[in-house]
C-alpha cells in the first residue's frame, strides 16, 4: 500500500515528526518487552541487567512539550565520503536522542553525533558540505514553523535566524531547560572538547556557561559511555536551590545517571552545626592548612628504638631496631597514603623475618609471611611505631589545643592566624564539636591523607569562583585520575576567599594544565540591564571584559524610588501581568518583611529552586541564593541594602552585580535609600 506524501514542506515535516514519535514508541516497547529470565546465570547479573533495561526505558521517554528534533541538515555529499561530482547527499534530522525505524534506519540523529556537528558550526564562510540547514519552531509539542539557510548558495546573504532568536528569548517558566537547539559555535567547541583534558570557562552573566557545562557532560557520556559508566560523573553546584533549578537538563537529554552534589555534600564526614567568622574561614580555607594537617598526621610516626622478636614454635626471630628504622624510613620516602603505609608495615617486618628463615635453611611461603604479619609482637610494634589515626580527631585536636597547633603550624601560620582558627570553646569529642563548613573541608583533607579519595571520570564544578583553595583541593581529589569542567565568573565571587585568578584556582584543583576559555556573548540578559550592571565591573573585577548582549529584544530596565515595601510589591504585581517567571531579589535581612508584604497583598510566592507554575510565578529570592538562577522579570529591592548586607563593600558590590543580572526580559530596581555610588 502506498503512502501519500504531503505536498507542502511543513506538512511533510509534521509527518516525519509523527513517524519519528511512532518509531520512538516502538523502541521503548521493544525495551519493555525484553525477557531476561533465561539470559542471566544468577540473580546478581539479572538485577544489573534489569537496572540497565529500566534506565534504557526511561531514556526513551517521549517528553511532552519537548521537540523530538529541532533541526535538519541536507548534505551536498554523503558524510565521510570523498567529494565527487554527482554524489548524492544525505538528510539528517537533529534531535535530543537517536531514533531509528523498524529496519534500523535513522529517523533522528543524536545532536552529539559527529554528523550533527555542522548544525552548530557551519556558516556561509565555512558551509562544511551543508547545502541546507533547517531550523524548526514549535508551540508546545506541535511543529509550527521552519526556517532555511542555504549555506552553499553564494547568492544568498547570511541572515540572523529568527527562530533561533525566539528560542533564546523564550520565557523562562519552570526549571532550567537545555540549550541543545541554540548552542553557538564557541559554546560547541567547549561542549565537544575531549575527555582527557580539563576546561575552565570564564563567562559573565547570561553567557550560558552552566548550560555549556551540562551539555559537555551529556556529550562526554555519549562519546565515552563505557568508560564513564565505570568511573562516574558528578555535577557540583553552590547550593541545593541551584541544583534543583538545573536538575531537569540532563534527564531531558536522556542522561539519568549523573550525580549532583554541593561541596558540603562531598565533605560530610562530620555534622556541621557551627559557623566561622570570615577571618577564621579565610585561614582555614587557605591551602597552607594542608601542610599543617600533613605535619600533624605524620608526627604520629615514631622511629622504633626496640627490636621485634617473633616466636614461632621453638624458634625466635629478631628484627633489630635499626632494620625497623630502615623499613619505616623507606615507607615515609615513598610518600604513599598514611593508611596504606601502615598496612604495608607489618608485611615489611614479616618479610624481614622470612629472609632470616630462608638463611636458616627453611622454606617459608606467603602463608607464613601473612601469619608473621599477624603475630602479636608485630602488631604491637606497628601500633607503637605507626598508630591508626582518625581524621576528625586529628583536626579536633589541632583546633582545640593551642600548643599542638603551634607545634605543627610553625613557619606556616603566623601567631595571629593560629589564634584566629582556634575554637573559642574547645571540644572534647568529635560528636560534641560544633564543626563549621570550613572545618569539614579540613577533615576531608585529613581523610585523604590517611586513605585515598575515590576518583571519578569527570567532574563539573559550577560557580567555582566562590570556592576556597581547600575546597578546590576537595573537589580536585574527586577527579585526580579524571578530568574537570570548571565554570565561573570572577566578577561574581561573593565570599571573602573568592577566586582571584583562574590559573591559581586550577593549581589548587590539581588541573594546572586546564585550558581557560572565555565566553563574552550574552544570550540571557537584555542590553540595557547588562550595561547598567557592568558599571560595577571596574570596582569588582578590573580588566574583565563586559558581556555584550546579542539579544534582539531589548527588554526593559527601570529605576524607581519605591517609597517602602509598597512600591516593591506594586512592581511585582505589574510584572506578574506579563507572561513568564518573576523573581523578587532582596537583601537577606529584608526577605521576612517582604514576605509579609506579599502575603498581605494576596500575592503567593515560592522559595528559590521551587518550580514555578501557572498559578504561582513569583519567587522571593534572598540575594545570597540568587547566583545561577534566572527569571523572565526581576524586581531588585534596595540595592544599597544588598551591598550593606555583606562584610565588606567589594563583596557587597559583587553580590549586587549578581542580583542585577538575573533578568531575562526586564528589570525594575526599587529603592528608598540612595543607590550605591558605583552605579553612577
Amino acid at each position: 500500500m502506498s503512502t501519500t506524501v504531503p505536498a507542502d514542506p511543513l506538512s511533510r515535516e509534521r509527518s516525519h515528526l509523527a513517524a519519528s514519535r511512532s518509531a520512538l514508541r516502538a523502541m521503548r516497547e521493544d525495551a519493555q518487552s525484553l525477557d531476561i529470565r533465561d539470559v542471566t546465570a544468577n540473580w546478581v547479573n539479572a538485577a544489573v541487567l534489569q537496572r540497565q533495561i529500566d534506565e534504557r526505558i526511561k531514556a526513551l521517554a517521549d517528553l511532552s512539550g519537548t521537540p523530538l528534533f529541532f533541526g535538519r541538515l541536507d548534505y551536498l555529499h554523503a558524510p565521510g565520503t570523498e567529494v565527487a561530482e554527482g554524489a548524492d547527499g544525505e538528510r539528517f534530522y537533529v534531535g535530543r536522542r537517536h531514533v531509528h525505524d523498524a529496519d534500523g534506519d535513522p529517523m533522528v540523529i543524536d545532536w552529539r553525533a559527529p554528523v550533527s556537528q555542522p548544525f552548530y558550526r557551519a556558516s556561509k564562510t565555512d558551509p562544511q558540505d551543508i547545502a541546507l540547514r533547517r531550523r524548526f519552531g514549535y508551540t508546545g509539542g506541535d511543529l509550527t514553523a521552519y526556517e532555511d539557510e542555504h549555506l552553499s548558495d553564494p547568492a544568498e546573504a547570511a541572515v540572523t535566524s529568527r527562530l533561533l532568536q525566539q528560542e533564546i528569548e523564550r520565557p523562562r517558566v519552570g526549571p532550567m531547560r537545555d540549550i541543545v537547539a541554540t548552542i553557538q559555535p564557541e559554546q560547541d567547541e567547549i561542549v565537544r572538547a575531549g575527555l582527557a583534558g580539563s576546561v575552565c570557562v570564564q563567562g559573565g552573566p547570561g553567557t550560558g556557561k552552566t548550560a555549556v557545562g551540562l551539555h559537555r557532560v551529556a556529550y562526554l557520556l555519549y562519546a565515552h559511555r563505557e568508560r564513564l559508566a565505570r568511573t562516574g560523573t558528578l555535577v557540583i553546584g553552590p547550593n541545593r536551590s541551584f541544583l534543583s533549578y538545573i536538575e531537569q537538563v540532563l534527564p531531558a537529554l536522556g542522561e539519568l545517571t549523573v550525580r549532583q552534589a554541593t561541596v558540603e555534600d562531598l565533605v560530610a564526614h562530620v555534622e556541621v552545626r557551627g559557623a566561622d567568622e570570615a577571618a577564621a574561614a579565610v585561614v582555614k580555607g587557605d591551602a597552607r592548612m594542608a601542610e599543617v594537617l600533613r605535619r600533624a598526621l605524620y608526627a604520629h610516626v615514631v622511629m622504633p628504638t626496640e627490636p621485634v622478636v617473633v616466636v614461632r614454635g621453638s624458634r625466635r626471630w629478631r628484627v633489630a631496631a635499626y632494620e625497623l628504622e630502615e623499613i619505616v624510613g623507606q615507607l615515609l620516602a615513598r610518600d604513599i597514603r598514611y593508611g596504606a603505609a601502615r598496612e604495608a608495615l607489618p608485611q615489611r617486618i614479616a618479610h624481614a623475618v622470612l629472609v632470616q628463615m630462608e638463611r636458616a635453611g627453611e622454606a617459608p611461603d606467603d602463608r607464613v609471611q601473612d601469619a608473621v604479619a599477624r603475630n602479636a609482637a608485630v602488631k604491637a610494634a606497628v601500633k607503637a611505631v605507626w598508630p591508626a589515626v582518625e581524621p576528625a580527631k586529628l583536626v579536633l585536636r589541632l583546633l582545640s589545643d593551642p600548643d599542638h597547633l603551634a607545634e605543627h603550624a610553625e613557619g606556616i601560620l603566623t601567631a595571629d592566624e593560629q589564634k584566629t582558627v582556634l575554637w573559642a570553646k574547645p571540644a572534647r569529642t568529635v560528636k560534641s564539636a560544633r564543626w563549621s563548613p570550613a572545618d569539614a573541608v579540613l577533615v576531608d583533607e585529613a581523610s585523604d591523607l590517611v586513605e585515598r579519595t575515590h576518583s571519578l571520570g569527570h567532574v563539573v564544578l559550577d560557580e567555582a569562583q566562590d570556592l576556597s583553595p581547600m575546597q578546590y583541593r576537595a573537589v580536585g581529589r574527586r577527579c585526580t585520575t579524571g578530568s574537570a569542567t570548571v565554570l565561573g565568573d570572577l566578577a561574581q565571587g561573593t565570599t571573602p576567599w573568592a577566586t582571584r585568578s583562574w590559573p591559581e584556582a586550577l593549581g589548587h584543583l590539581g588541573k594546572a594544565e586546564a585550558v581557560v576559555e572565555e565566553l563574552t556573548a550574552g544570550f540571557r540578559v537584555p542590553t540595557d540591564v547588562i550595561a547598567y550592571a557592568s558599571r560595577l565591573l571596574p570596582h569588582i573585577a578590573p580588566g574583565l571584559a563586559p558581556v555584550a548582549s546579542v539579544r534582539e529584544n531589548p527588554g526593559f530596565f527601570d529605576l524607581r524610588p519605591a517609597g517602602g515595601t509598597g512600591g516593591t510589591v506594586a512592581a511585582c504585581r505589574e510584572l506578574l501581568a506579563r507572561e513568564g517567571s518573576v523573581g523578587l531579589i532582596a537583601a537577606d535581612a529584608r526577605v521576612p518583611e517582604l514576605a509579609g508584604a506579599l502575603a498581605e497583598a494576596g500575592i503567593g510566592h515560592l522559595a528559590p529552586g521551587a518550580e514555578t507554575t501557572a498559578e504561582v510565578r513569583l519567587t522571593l529570592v534572598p540575594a545570597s541564593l540568587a547566583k545561577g538562577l534566572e527569571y523572565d522579570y526581576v524586581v531588585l529591592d534596595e540595592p544599597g541594602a544588598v551591598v550593606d548586607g555583606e562584610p565588606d563593600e567589594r563583596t557587597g558590590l559583587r553580590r549586587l552585580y549578581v542580583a542585577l543580572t538575573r533578568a531575562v526580559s526586564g528589570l525594575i530596581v526599587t529603592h528608598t535609600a540612595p543607590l550605591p555610588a558605583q552605579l553612577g
Side-chain angles (χ1 to χ4, degrees):
M1 185 174 68
S2 62
T3 302
T4 302
V5 178
D8 67 288
L10 187 59
S11 295
R12 288 199 297 271
E13 302 296 14
R14 286 171 173 166
S15 177
H16 186 78
L17 175 62
S20 299
R21 290 196 181 282
S22 178
L24 181 62
R25 283 195 300 274
M27 291 169 63
R28 183 178 171 89
E29 289 167 0
D30 286 345
Q32 290 172 327
S33 65
L34 289 174
D35 187 350
I36 62 171
R37 286 176 295 183
D38 298 327
V39 176
T40 56
N42 55 59
W43 69 269
V44 175
N45 291 341
V48 171
L49 182 57
Q50 187 60 55
R51 185 176 69 251
Q52 293 173 342
I53 292 173
D54 291 342
E55 290 175 355
R56 171 68 172 163
I57 292 170
K58 289 179 182 177
L60 290 172
D62 190 357
L63 304 176
S64 61
T66 301
L68 195 55
F69 56 78
F70 46 81
R72 193 184 98 186
L73 291 174
D74 291 5
Y75 274 82
L76 286 170
H77 309 89
T81 64
E82 294 292 331
V83 177
E85 187 176 351
D88 293 328
E90 291 189 58
R91 173 177 298 171
F92 298 98
Y93 287 82
V94 181
R96 286 168 173 78
R97 68 201 65 198
H98 176 88
V99 179
H100 59 256
D101 61 17
D103 297 325
D105 295 325
M107 303 284 288
V108 181
I109 297 295
D110 195 300
W111 66 276
R112 298 165 288 189
V115 75
S116 300
Q117 184 171 309
F119 183 79
Y120 302 105
R121 298 199 192 180
S123 65
K124 293 290 289 185
T125 56
D126 181 20
Q128 299 186 17
D129 203 39
I130 300 299
L132 178 141
R133 173 168 55 200
R134 175 169 288 179
R135 299 183 188 274
F136 297 106
Y138 288 81
T139 302
D142 298 326
L143 198 163
T144 54
Y146 70 91
E147 182 181 74
D148 288 345
E149 296 174 85
H150 296 277
L151 298 177
S152 298
D153 184 354
E156 182 176 299
V159 296
T160 302
S161 167
R162 299 297 303 170
L163 289 178
L164 177 63
Q165 201 68 33
Q166 289 171 12
E167 176 63 21
I168 290 173
E169 298 179 7
R170 187 157 55 94
R172 256 70 171 168
V173 176
M176 182 181 180
R177 60 176 182 260
D178 66 70
I179 62 165
V180 68
T182 62
I183 294 174
Q184 299 300 292
E186 64 272 19
Q187 295 174 325
D188 190 63
E189 289 184 16
I190 298 171
V191 167
R192 295 177 191 264
L195 177 61
S198 293
V199 179
C200 175
V201 182
Q202 159 64 41
T207 54
K209 57 185 177 295
T210 295
V212 165
L214 294 174
H215 286 68
R216 176 158 160 72
V217 170
Y219 172 76
L220 292 176
L221 286 168
Y222 174 87
H224 307 278
R225 190 166 301 280
E226 289 188 8
R227 178 175 172 182
L228 290 177
R230 294 193 306 270
T231 56
T233 51
L234 173 67
V235 174
I236 302 173
N239 52 58
R240 282 281 149 206
S241 296
F242 178 85
L243 293 178
S244 297
Y245 177 62
I246 69 170
E247 66 182 357
Q248 295 303 317
V249 174
L250 288 170
L253 297 174
E255 301 301 343
L256 308 171
T257 61
V258 180
R259 181 187 164 205
Q260 295 184 344
T262 64
V263 173
E264 288 74 18
D265 295 331
L266 300 182
V267 300
H269 305 283
V270 293
E271 182 182 358
V272 173
R273 297 185 296 135
D276 287 313
E277 295 291 334
V282 168
V283 179
K284 289 179 181 179
D286 194 296
R288 292 174 296 162
M289 289 298 299
E291 181 57 28
V292 176
L293 291 168
R294 175 177 288 276
R295 284 187 184 181
L297 175 62
Y298 282 91
H300 289 82
V301 178
V302 179
M303 284 298 178
T305 57
E306 299 291 334
V308 172
V309 179
V310 176
V311 179
R312 284 185 57 82
S314 60
R315 301 294 299 271
R316 293 163 61 88
W317 307 97
R318 183 176 181 274
V319 181
Y322 76 88
E323 290 184 80
L324 295 174
E325 185 175 343
E326 185 177 334
I327 292 171
V328 171
Q330 290 172 349
L331 290 173
L332 288 172
R334 287 186 60 192
D335 196 30
I336 59 177
R337 292 299 192 277
Y338 183 93
R342 187 176 187 275
E343 292 177 1
L345 181 55
Q347 289 290 337
R348 292 292 188 92
I349 296 173
H351 177 73
V353 172
L354 259 65
V355 169
Q356 294 185 32
M357 290 180 175
E358 290 171 349
R359 288 173 180 169
E362 297 189 14
D365 55 19
D366 290 344
R367 289 175 299 175
V368 174
Q369 180 167 332
D370 290 339
V372 172
R374 295 192 300 270
N375 182 274
V378 174
K379 287 183 176 180
V382 170
K383 184 177 181 180
V385 171
W386 209 297
V389 176
E390 186 179 328
K393 288 184 177 179
L394 175 76
V395 177
L396 181 145
R397 186 179 178 192
L398 275 174
L399 300 180
S400 300
D401 186 338
D403 294 334
H404 189 66
L405 177 62
E407 178 185 353
H408 301 297
E410 183 180 359
I412 300 177
L413 302 180
T414 66
D416 286 342
E417 287 174 328
Q418 293 174 34
K419 291 178 182 178
T420 299
V421 301
L422 283 167
W423 286 338
K425 294 182 179 180
R428 292 187 176 183
T429 66
V430 169
K431 288 188 177 181
S432 66
R434 293 187 61 82
W435 300 98
S436 71
D439 296 335
V441 178
L442 296 180
V443 175
D444 188 70
E445 179 82 26
S447 298
D448 185 67
L449 289 170
V450 174
E451 184 176 349
R452 185 181 298 276
T453 303
H454 174 68
S455 176
L456 300 166
H458 192 76
V459 169
V460 174
L461 175 61
D462 206 350
E463 300 296 346
Q465 72 279 345
D466 277 334
L467 268 60
S468 70
M470 290 298 285
Q471 287 175 317
Y472 276 115
R473 290 175 62 90
V475 174
R477 48 182 164 265
R478 267 79 187 177
C479 55
T480 51
T481 58
S483 55
T485 301
V486 180
L487 313 168
D489 179 12
L490 296 178
Q492 296 187 59
T494 52
T495 56
W497 49 83
T499 301
R500 292 172 293 188
S501 76
W502 289 123
E504 180 183 339
L506 293 168
H508 294 310
L509 189 70
K511 303 295 180 185
E513 78 291 348
V515 177
V516 179
E517 303 281 359
E518 187 171 6
L519 298 176
T520 58
F523 303 98
R524 175 170 57 77
V525 186
T527 301
D528 289 349
V529 174
I530 195 64
Y532 184 71
S534 294
R535 296 182 182 185
L536 298 174
L537 283 179
H539 307 281
I540 61 177
L544 202 62
V547 172
S549 178
V550 298
R551 296 172 65 89
E552 291 191 352
N553 181 355
F556 72 87
F557 169 63
D558 196 8
L559 283 172
R560 296 182 184 177
T565 57
T568 300
V569 172
C572 292
R573 193 184 298 278
E574 174 186 330
L575 293 180
L576 286 169
R578 300 170 179 260
E579 179 188 3
S581 58
V582 179
L584 170 54
I585 303 177
D588 292 29
R590 287 185 53 77
V591 167
E593 180 183 355
L594 290 168
L598 290 171
E600 186 175 342
I603 301 176
H605 67 272
L606 303 167
E611 184 172 345
T612 54
T613 65
E615 294 74 26
V616 183
R617 292 184 290 115
L618 175 66
T619 304
L620 178 55
V621 187
S624 62
L625 296 181
K627 194 170 297 179
L629 305 180
E630 61 181 31
Y631 303 93
D632 284 294
Y633 301 97
V634 167
V635 177
L636 174 58
D637 169 83
E638 294 293 354
V642 173
V643 176
D644 294 341
E646 298 299 327
D648 60 81
E649 184 180 67
R650 184 184 178 90
T651 303
L653 291 173
R654 287 185 169 188
R655 184 76 71 191
L656 178 58
Y657 180 74
V658 171
L660 284 167
T661 54
R662 300 303 96 199
V664 173
S665 299
L667 170 68
I668 297 176
V669 177
T670 61
H671 66 101
T672 301
L675 294 170
Q678 292 83 354
L679 286 173

